Amino acid sequence: MVKVSIMGVSGFTAAELIKIFSRHKSVTLKHFISRTKGVRIKSLHPSLNIDAETENFSKKIIDDTDVVFLCLPHTESAKFAIPFIEKNKVVIDLSADFRLKNANIYRKTYGVPHPAPKLLSKAVYGLTEFYRNQIKTARIIANPGCYPTSVLLGLVPAIKGGFAKKEGIVIDSKSGVSGAGRKLASDWLFSNVYENLRAYSVAKHRHISEIEQELNLLTGEKVNFTFVPHLLPVERGILSTIYIPMKKFVNEDAVFLYYKKFYENERFIKVLERGTQPEIKNVNRTNFAHIGIVVDRNSLTLIVTVAIDNLVKGASGQAVQNMNVIFGFEEGEGLL
């Protein structure tokens, strides 16, 4: 059995991990690490029937761990990764601390120097469908952001297939409020979210750097795009609609078949039949991504729509998918 520890157990992503591991046949949950010691997991997450308590981080936990999941805020994860890496343990980081390859871009994006810049080159970006071979031997997994997961799954095939122009792409993404994490802030209060819809961080969201980097690495192309996120008045789910100017008209059937072929061996990616559009209710609480394809002939635009659960495929589910790859388990073990 693989020994799993979770650091930062009070948040949404940790709760999702615990749910997934309750179904996983090949792991045992060993340590629930928190700043506050002695809090029962059932009191943090009443829906979870886990008879265990939180404990403070200590060096002895490292020896009793095969893989640690860091469910910590951005700018705090990397320093805790260091002692695990020094002991050759697997680190799966659900923050952004290892996603960006360039420490200067990290500093510009997150406003602080990177605490472990020498480890950035050793981290593998954990978008399983694109980096599976590298993930197999990795010791640091940079679990992707939820928005970039939806965007890259929808946009990369269009670029690799030669359908897309490299400029003028517009990405309209909408997320449920759980994407902001479990924190108290006026913008996320029920009274400000309910029956409301608004854009935020327009053209300056921190995930832009991540999307830019991965589009360049995955396609070998410099791609220019506009990214606008919106807050949905729902608990969870992401719907990204990507407007892609086409180089020339390509029949919708041909684009659809290309996407089907591109993802034919990916169990968690479902390209929907023509005339059907993704809905967040159909992917929520699962590790699936649903993709819809439409070609607007009048404007010569390929419209790709992607739905995922921001807490599962956009976070904890993808993290477990990566763990399964590393340890040689069936890739969907524990996942719905």
Side-chain angles (χ1 to χ4, degrees):
M1 300 287 281
V2 170
K3 294 181 287 187
V4 171
S5 294
I6 300 173
M7 182 173 286
V9 295
S10 64
F12 294 137
T13 55
E16 291 297 326
L17 283 172
I18 296 169
K19 290 176 187 176
I20 293 167
F21 286 133
S22 71
R23 302 187 294 265
H24 203 292
K25 299 175 183 177
S26 301
V27 305
T28 179
L29 285 169
K30 296 293 291 186
H31 301 282
F32 302 89
I33 307 163
S34 174
R35 291 191 185 95
T36 306
K37 182 181 179 181
V39 180
R40 296 182 69 80
I41 300 302
K42 286 190 287 189
S43 68
L44 283 173
H45 306 292
S47 65
L48 303 177
N49 188 28
I50 300 293
D51 191 22
E53 293 183 351
T54 61
E55 55 187 302
N56 297 144
F57 172 72
S58 66
K59 294 293 180 69
K60 67 180 182 180
I61 288 175
I62 300 173
D63 293 329
D64 196 33
T65 298
D66 296 314
V67 53
V68 63
F69 290 80
L70 301 179
C71 302
L72 298 170
H74 313 308
T75 74
E76 293 187 22
S77 271
K79 61 188 177 186
F80 288 103
I82 295 170
F84 285 95
I85 293 301
E86 289 174 345
K87 291 282 190 174
N88 201 35
K89 306 298 182 176
V90 174
V91 173
I92 299 180
D93 181 22
L94 281 79
S95 84
D97 279 7
F98 292 101
R99 294 175 192 162
L100 298 175
K101 305 295 185 185
N102 187 307
N104 291 327
I105 295 176
Y106 176 90
R107 181 170 188 163
K108 180 179 177 181
T109 302
Y110 292 96
V112 298
H114 196 280
K118 292 182 180 179
L119 292 180
L120 290 177
S121 62
K122 298 180 180 180
V124 174
Y125 191 73
L127 190 50
T128 323
E129 287 74 18
F130 295 151
Y131 289 107
R132 186 175 285 108
N133 288 337
Q134 296 94 317
I135 289 167
K136 288 178 181 178
T137 58
R139 283 296 174 267
I140 309 175
I141 297 296
N143 218 58
C146 50
Y147 280 132
T149 294
S150 67
V151 171
L152 294 168
L153 290 173
L155 184 50
V156 167
I159 297 170
K160 285 195 168 185
F163 307 121
K165 290 183 178 179
K166 308 306 188 299
E167 61 281 324
I169 296 169
V170 175
I171 303 164
D172 179 320
S173 293
K174 298 176 175 67
S175 175
V177 71
S178 60
R182 193 175 183 178
K183 62 186 177 184
L184 290 176
S186 61
D187 283 348
W188 319 116
L189 293 177
F190 176 82
S191 58
N192 290 333
V193 173
Y194 182 63
E195 292 190 340
N196 193 20
L197 177 62
R198 61 180 174 85
Y200 67 98
S201 298
V202 176
K204 59 181 181 180
H205 194 278
R206 62 194 180 200
H207 283 167
I208 291 173
S209 297
E210 185 179 337
I211 296 169
E212 285 178 338
Q213 169 187 280
E214 290 304 313
L215 285 176
N216 183 267
L217 291 173
L218 289 166
T219 69
E221 301 281 356
K222 172 66 175 175
V223 180
N224 294 314
F225 60 87
T226 298
F227 174 69
V228 182
H230 302 74
L231 182 65
L232 285 171
V234 299
E235 175 201 357
R236 61 203 297 161
I238 281 179
L239 186 71
S240 288
T241 304
I242 309 169
Y243 302 88
I244 308 166
M246 302 180 76
K247 292 179 178 178
K248 61 181 180 180
F249 174 75
V250 179
N251 186 279
E252 188 172 290
D253 282 339
V255 179
F256 169 77
L257 290 173
Y258 179 85
Y259 269 73
K260 290 281 283 188
K261 179 72 174 177
F262 193 92
Y263 287 121
E264 65 179 347
N265 296 317
E266 299 298 341
R267 64 173 294 170
F268 290 116
I269 312 300
K270 184 176 181 181
V271 181
L272 303 183
E273 295 301 318
R274 290 180 60 204
T276 305
Q277 283 296 310
E279 302 178 37
I280 58 176
K281 71 177 183 179
N282 294 332
V283 296
N284 276 353
R285 294 178 170 80
T286 81
N287 199 52
F288 281 89
H290 286 186
I291 299 177
I293 305 293
V294 172
V295 172
D296 183 348
R297 185 167 189 163
N298 290 331
S299 63
L300 205 59
T301 302
L302 170 59
I303 304 170
V304 180
T305 310
V306 184
I308 64 169
D309 185 316
N310 57 292
L311 295 177
V312 186
K313 184 59 177 171
S316 302
Q318 188 152 241
V320 174
Q321 187 180 356
N322 288 323
M323 184 204 73
N324 287 340
V325 171
I326 291 171
F327 288 95
F329 303 141
E330 198 280 319
E331 197 166 307
E333 179 62 41
L335 299 169
L336 300 176

